[in-house]
Amino acid sequence: MDTPHIPVLLQEVLDSFSSVDSGYFVDCTLGYAGHSSEMLKKYSHIKHIGIDRDDEALEFSKNRLEEFESRSTLYKGTFATVLPTLKETPIMAVLADFGVSSLQLDKKSRGFSFESDTLDMRMDAGAKLSAYEVVNEYSKRELEYIFDTYGEVRSYRKLAAKVVEARSKAPITSAKELSQIAKEVIPAGKIHPATLMFQGIRIEVNSELSEIEGLLDALEAKHTEGEVVSLITFHSLEDRLVKNRFKKWSSQCICEAHAMRCSCGKNNAIGKALVKKPITATKEELRFNPRSRSAKLRSFKFSKTSKI
Ligand SMILES: C[S@@+](CC[C@H](N)C(=O)[O-])C[C@H]1O[C@@H](n2cnc3c(N)ncnc32)[C@H](O)[C@@H]1O
């Protein structure tokens, strides 16, 4: 089957779950089932749950996973809302491969690409907020916040002012038009001038960072002894959330930093990060899938016992 998306760090993801021999594997970002189909092939004893908020991705994956139908259930929704509903399910493996899929990026009508004639960027085409409202209706201050905090755009003030100036003449209706505005403010460099602005708007439209926090909260609230979580991030804002949460989960001492003496019993770790540094793509993978260049994989195993 032709797939519109090459799964990143595939072998590394499969290896991270090598200790899992029963229960359920939850793929929080099913996409085109690149990771899921290989997980189902390799681990024939596990059951599978796939979550995505994009109908196109779910439809594609439903067909792709047909041969595993008896072991697989798919859910439409966001992972931060679906995962907490799976309370009774014996989950032993969780994967999230954050960000957008290649199909979402490449299909012009979705409005993620610089050349799109629409201004959309919704992963769930039925969601209320799209890039059009953000760009045309948010205040200048709100745009500055998004460009600065979510996009880490250096000249975020200038960029917000330029957007506000442009939309005062006529609404901005396409991603193409928006990237033209970025080109006028941001000099061409290694990446397209609109890259960071688009990242900021996409994060806002899809509540991407609060979704990750919601997922981490759900995992913290409910996990099973031996459960492995593998999370793939694509930029520093995402990676920081994951890194800090894994650090918290593996800390024995939970006393305030300024406490004079430890009073927590130093026995609070709920598991251990499986790798100290995040795993990144090999040179070989970079050659056939350039989109893997910013991917970082971190894995954590929940375990109250000292042996991991
Ligand atoms: C990078 S792709 C995943 C690709 C997948 N691993 C594969 O190999 O085909 C990310 C997918 O996650 C979905 N997604 C992103 N954030 C989500 C969220 N908060 N809840 C549910 N799905 C989400 C997107 O719609 C997209 O299909």
Side-chain angles (χ1 to χ4, degrees), residues 51 78-88 91 214-215 217-219 221-222:
I51 305 169
T78 68
F79 47 68
T81 48
V82 176
L83 199 66
T85 67
L86 305 172
K87 274 195 223 88
E88 307 303 322
I91 298 170
L215 170 66
D217 288 347
L219 291 167
K222 192 238 149 196

Side-chain angles (χ1 to χ4, degrees), residues 29-30 32-35 52-53 77-79 97 99-100 104 123 211:
T29 51
L30 179 70
Y32 300 92
H35 289 109
D52 207 296
R53 54 179 164 186
T78 68
F79 47 68
D97 169 18
V100 281
Q104 286 167 337
M123 290 180 183
E211 273 295 314

Side-chain angles (χ1 to χ4, degrees), residues 32-43:
Y32 300 92
H35 289 109
S36 280
S37 57
E38 293 302 319
M39 278 293 291
L40 279 157
K41 260 184 233 160
K42 180 164 175 154
Y43 299 105

Side-chain angles (χ1 to χ4, degrees), residues 233-300:
T233 61
F234 288 87
H235 54 80
S236 58
L237 297 168
E238 291 178 343
D239 188 53
R240 206 172 304 144
L241 292 178
V242 173
K243 185 173 86 177
N244 289 343
R245 194 65 76 101
F246 281 11
K247 192 170 166 204
K248 176 186 170 197
W249 291 347
S250 50
S251 299
Q252 294 291 4
C253 178
I254 52 166
C255 294
E256 295 288 338
H258 59 265
M260 300 282 278
R261 188 178 306 145
C262 170
S263 58
C264 72
K266 281 198 176 144
N267 183 27
N268 293 287
I270 52 173
K272 197 175 168 187
L274 295 180
V275 281
K276 277 205 175 113
K277 286 202 166 157
I279 295 175
T280 53
T282 58
K283 276 189 188 145
E284 196 201 341
E285 178 168 0
L286 287 170
R287 259 198 301 276
F288 70 81
N289 187 11
R291 274 181 185 158
S292 64
R293 70 180 176 276
S294 41
K296 283 186 177 165
L297 168 69
R298 292 184 189 269
S299 300
F300 187 91

Side-chain angles (χ1 to χ4, degrees), residues 100-114:
V100 281
S101 67
S102 302
L103 187 72
Q104 286 167 337
L105 272 175
D106 295 341
K107 200 169 170 188
K108 280 193 179 175
S109 59
R110 302 296 301 260
F112 288 97
S113 86
F114 304 131

Side-chain angles (χ1 to χ4, degrees), residues 3-8 10 27-37 51-58 60-61 64 75-82 95-102 104 110 112 122-124 206-208 210-212 215 232 234:
T3 59
H5 181 92
I6 308 172
V8 298
L10 178 59
D27 187 344
C28 293
T29 51
L30 179 70
Y32 300 92
H35 289 109
S36 280
S37 57
I51 305 169
D52 207 296
R53 54 179 164 186
D54 183 329
D55 288 308
E56 279 186 322
L58 282 166
F60 183 95
S61 292
R64 186 168 188 185
Y75 289 92
K76 155 101 197 255
T78 68
F79 47 68
T81 48
V82 176
L95 170 69
D97 169 18
F98 301 119
V100 281
S101 67
S102 302
Q104 286 167 337
R110 302 296 301 260
F112 288 97
R122 286 172 299 175
M123 290 180 183
D124 175 356
N206 298 292
S207 309
E208 291 180 28
S210 56
E211 273 295 314
I212 296 178
L215 170 66
I232 303 173
F234 288 87

